[in-house]
Amino acid sequence: MKAILCGTDFSDHARRAAHVAAALADQLGCPLRLLHVVADGEAETGTGDLVLQARRKTLEEQAQTLRTGSGSTIEAMIVTGRVFEQVIREARACGAGLIVVASLGREQPLGWRLGSTAERIAQHSSIPVLVVREAQPLLDWIAGTDVLPVTVCADMTHASRAALNWARELHRIGPCEIELTYVAWPPAERSLAGASEPTTTAGPWAALEASLSDDLRMWAADTGPGASRESYRVLVNWGRTDAAITQHATGIHSALIVAGTHRRSYVARLWQGSVTRNLLHHAETNVVCVPPSEFGIAHVAVIKRVLAAVDLSDMDAEVVRSALGVAPQDGEVHLLHVIEPHPDKKAEHAARQRLEALLAPSQHVRRAVTHLVVRPGELPHTVIATYAERMAADAICMGMKKRSRAANLLLGSQSHGVIRSARVPVILVPADQGTVSAM
């Protein structure tokens, strides 16, 4: 890490956050920039110079306290402007890999539309932001006297992939116990997970939890160091996702919650809410917000896992051959067929037999490990895109049927739906030939 930036307003919460930032900088061997921002309104008054002089003196005193016993360079800096904008700007200027701020400070929240300073920094920052609420567990962990219990909000999306990869880097500082936590809302999850229980608040949810746990393990597998020291938890919840995570993290005495930020627009946040935003408001422990631009997908695309989506039509054999041809010798091919919602066991068994028959001709030349998957769902393209993200697919292979323009308008196109939703390349096999086109 090139540097750490810590914003301070000299409150007790901010001082404790600064001690965490200094300990991290010392452990990582990187410089710390301690930043105080004087609001424009304060600097423009008749006593503006006196304000700057007094704040500069206080800032230097705090920096000197942090330098005691530290082997890292600690630089004190004071600027004027809007607090969250200046913190982000200075973090970029010094090449910081982490911003550290306190959960509460002298600047109080301005209302539900604007939120607190920490929230706005996390919302707009393109680098991870650590919001410190309980400093002591972090200090004990950095000092090597305790293990850090970490909860990763794993919704099996690109954003939570970045959060998981960031959390796995914590092992470089000290021992961690990482739990990947997925919150399931039954009406949305039942069909995607392949469970067949009725959607009632009473449950039982054993099949749903088991299926989602398998998905979570598959999504998290082989994506970074330390995976063997991770655990998995599925929480079936009918309320707010952030409330379920907060309550669970408190119950297991988690010292850090790591969450990805989706960077939604302001209007989208009004309608959909924000799990990360609510965690910053309500969590009783420390929270790290990781933007998807950090610790996300590797810069060089390497195809290892391929999802082959089939519809049990004449095109399926070519789709399977294409998927097996793309996957490397040590890779995986997941053969997925989406059936009607609420299937009976007989229909599922028949679909699985059809998939086995598709793979049979290639059993002697198959290079990759294959998996057969049957999932119910009303919208096949949604199930395909969701499963691809959950299995951490590097590519999707599927057939492209020829329809008239009018038919596409009336019926839609599954391949078009997947292309719009997927975050990985989609390989389309045309209906009338064996050539492959990638999109």
Side-chain angles (χ1 to χ4, degrees):
M1 187 175 295
K2 186 176 180 181
I4 295 174
L5 182 135
C6 178
T8 180
D9 60 4
F10 312 132
S11 65
D12 289 341
H13 285 89
R15 290 180 185 276
R16 288 192 285 270
H19 279 286
V20 171
L24 283 170
D26 193 33
Q27 183 73 11
L28 295 171
C30 66
L32 170 66
R33 177 170 292 189
L34 189 64
L35 177 69
H36 176 71
V37 182
V38 179
D40 287 328
E42 295 176 285
E44 293 170 359
T45 63
T47 60
D49 290 340
L50 294 176
V51 170
L52 287 173
Q53 184 178 355
R55 301 278 181 87
R56 189 173 287 110
K57 180 181 178 181
T58 304
L59 182 64
E60 183 56 38
E61 290 174 351
Q62 183 173 346
Q64 189 58 42
T65 300
L66 295 175
R67 292 186 187 110
T68 304
S70 175
S72 297
T73 301
I74 299 178
E75 175 188 359
M77 185 175 186
I78 189 167
V79 297
T80 60
R82 299 178 70 185
V83 178
F84 81 94
E85 289 179 348
Q86 293 299 325
V87 168
I88 293 173
R89 182 174 299 158
E90 293 302 326
R92 291 173 179 167
C94 70
L98 179 68
I99 297 174
V100 180
V101 293
S103 60
L104 296 173
R106 210 158 44 87
E107 182 178 337
Q108 297 300 314
L110 301 177
W112 69 273
R113 290 183 301 172
L114 297 179
S116 68
T117 299
E119 177 193 322
R120 299 178 79 185
I121 292 171
Q123 174 190 333
H124 295 282
S125 176
S126 60
I127 63 176
V129 178
L130 167 59
V131 181
V132 178
R133 187 179 297 271
E134 295 291 340
Q136 198 57 51
L138 295 176
L139 293 172
D140 292 342
W141 166 66
I142 297 168
T145 60
D146 205 354
V147 177
L148 186 71
V150 180
T151 297
V152 177
C153 303
D155 61 0
M156 294 185 274
T157 64
H158 179 56
S160 61
R161 170 73 61 197
L164 174 58
N165 290 346
W166 190 92
R168 283 172 168 165
E169 292 294 315
L170 294 172
H171 288 286
R172 298 178 181 271
I173 300 173
C176 305
E177 294 178 350
I178 297 177
E179 180 184 272
L180 282 67
T181 303
Y182 183 88
V183 179
W185 190 58
E189 296 288 351
R190 189 186 61 79
S191 62
L192 290 176
S196 57
E197 298 103 328
T199 307
T200 64
T201 55
W205 301 115
L208 177 63
E209 290 175 350
S211 179
L212 287 173
S213 293
D214 289 342
D215 282 358
L216 193 56
R217 286 182 173 85
M218 178 178 62
W219 174 81
D222 301 326
T223 56
S228 61
R229 295 185 292 272
E230 296 168 357
S231 59
Y232 307 89
R233 180 65 62 92
V234 173
L235 305 175
V236 176
N237 177 65
W238 288 85
R240 293 201 331 259
T241 298
D242 59 278
I245 293 172
T246 298
Q247 183 178 6
H248 177 66
T250 300
I252 64 173
H253 305 290
S254 178
L256 184 66
I257 298 174
V258 183
T261 56
H262 290 269
R263 308 290 296 277
R264 292 190 180 112
S265 68
Y266 178 68
V267 174
R269 286 196 307 278
L270 287 178
W271 283 102
Q272 301 173 28
S274 167
V275 172
T276 306
R277 174 178 179 269
N278 289 332
L279 284 173
L280 293 177
H281 277 285
H282 303 298
E284 298 180 6
T285 189
N286 309 291
V287 178
V288 172
C289 303
V290 183
S293 58
E294 290 288 315
F295 298 92
I297 297 175
H299 294 293
V300 179
V302 178
I303 294 180
K304 184 175 181 179
R305 290 178 171 180
V306 180
L307 172 60
V310 298
D311 59 2
L312 304 184
S313 68
D314 295 338
M315 296 184 60
D316 289 346
E318 190 58 44
V319 171
V320 171
R321 282 194 292 269
S322 298
L324 291 172
V326 169
Q329 186 169 357
D330 59 344
E332 297 178 19
V333 172
H334 291 239
L335 193 58
L336 170 67
H337 174 59
V338 182
I339 59 179
E340 294 294 325
H342 315 297
D344 55 31
K345 294 296 181 182
K346 187 176 181 180
E348 290 188 26
H349 180 68
R352 185 170 292 275
Q353 284 185 319
R354 296 282 296 276
L355 295 182
E356 291 174 351
L358 274 174
L359 283 176
S362 62
Q363 60 181 346
H364 299 298
V365 295
R366 200 180 307 158
R367 302 182 303 167
V369 177
T370 55
H371 304 271
L372 304 182
V373 184
V374 177
R375 291 283 172 103
E378 295 180 359
L379 299 174
H381 68 268
T382 300
V383 178
I384 293 168
T386 300
Y387 185 80
E389 192 148 28
R390 291 184 175 181
M391 64 168 279
D394 302 304
I396 300 172
C397 188
M398 62 186 302
M400 180 177 61
K401 294 182 178 180
K402 285 194 172 182
R403 282 199 185 116
S404 67
R405 184 180 299 273
N408 276 334
L409 288 175
L410 291 173
L411 303 175
S413 166
Q414 297 302 333
S415 58
H416 292 169
V418 172
I419 291 170
R420 287 194 301 268
S421 305
R423 293 182 177 271
V424 295
V426 179
I427 301 171
L428 298 179
V429 180
D432 57 347
Q433 55 186 347
T435 56
V436 176
S437 60
M439 301 191 67

